[in-house]
Amino acid sequence: MNAKELTAAAEAILFASGEPVELKRIAQALGIGEGQAEQIVLNLAAQLDERESGLQILAIEDKFQMCTRPEYVDTVRSILEVRRNAPLSQAAFEVLAVVAYNQPVTKAFVEQVRGVDCSGVISSLVQKRLIEECGRLELPGRPLLYKTTADFLRCFSISSLDELPPLPEEAEESPAENTEKTPVENSDFSLEESAQTG
């Protein structure tokens, strides 16, 4: 396949999958190296941006996903009759922040930080696929460990955990600047806000 055909094939793969696709799998499907596959996907993303397409390509760690642009979520929802999910509660945001900045963590650690029982909140976040179990701690009782998911990255529009804003005590900013909330704190999150289409 020539470059144009490879780009079209990559677009078809991302469109049809509906989920983040590992760069390695894209390269294998196209029969090319990962470096070339990444360049093709990035070029495709640039083409979508240039023509102001209703679709965009998100980079999520070593994966790529095609999805609708945020500004068209309401339009997509209206045609698909997707019911809006309730936004996350303040407690859910707090638990999510504790997990995101300290992962992998146990439920006991989260509860120690927050000072209250978090069983229900953690279960809810697991159901929403924002956090997931990732093994057990080698201690008596072998408690479960939790970490954030690829859906967490996608929903907060970041490619990796390295893009999380620094914690207040770590930020080298003036007191006035430190009063600004992080995206995790001020986001009016709903899973349906990032309507994914395939």
Side-chain angles (χ1 to χ4, degrees), residues 23-90:
L23 179 62
K24 180 179 180 180
R25 292 183 59 202
I26 296 174
Q28 290 174 341
L30 299 178
I32 57 178
E34 290 185 31
Q36 186 181 359
E38 181 176 21
Q39 192 57 54
I40 285 173
V41 173
L42 292 177
N43 288 343
L44 174 59
Q47 291 174 21
L48 294 175
D49 291 341
E50 184 177 351
R51 69 174 188 252
E52 299 181 347
S53 170
L55 302 175
Q56 64 178 342
I57 294 176
L58 297 180
I60 304 173
E61 295 182 324
D62 62 339
K63 301 176 182 178
F64 291 94
Q65 179 172 17
M66 180 176 286
C67 62
T68 55
R69 293 188 187 276
E71 54 265 40
Y72 302 117
V73 168
D74 289 338
T75 305
V76 173
R77 182 184 293 117
S78 68
I79 195 68
L80 297 178
E81 298 182 351
V82 178
R83 210 172 76 187
R84 182 186 175 91
N85 281 353
L88 289 180
S89 65
Q90 182 62 36

Side-chain angles (χ1 to χ4, degrees), residues 104-107 132-137 143-147:
V105 296
T106 62
K107 181 172 74 73
E132 64 184 358
E133 297 175 5
C134 62
R136 292 182 178 273
L137 193 62
L144 287 167
L145 290 167
Y146 296 92
K147 67 174 184 177

Side-chain angles (χ1 to χ4, degrees), residues 100-165:
Y101 283 97
N102 299 281
Q103 59 189 304
V105 296
T106 62
K107 181 172 74 73
F109 177 85
V110 177
E111 293 176 340
Q112 181 179 5
V113 172
R114 296 195 64 238
V116 295
D117 178 76
C118 299
S119 301
V121 178
I122 288 176
S123 295
S124 175
L125 292 174
V126 169
Q127 290 176 356
K128 291 179 182 293
R129 298 191 302 176
L130 294 177
I131 64 174
E132 64 184 358
E133 297 175 5
C134 62
R136 292 182 178 273
L137 193 62
E138 294 301 326
L139 287 176
R142 301 191 68 228
L144 287 167
L145 290 167
Y146 296 92
K147 67 174 184 177
T148 54
T149 64
D151 282 345
F152 166 83
L153 297 177
R154 185 178 70 243
C155 291
F156 287 98
S157 299
I158 57 177
S159 298
S160 72
L161 294 173
D162 294 335
E163 295 181 27
L164 286 173

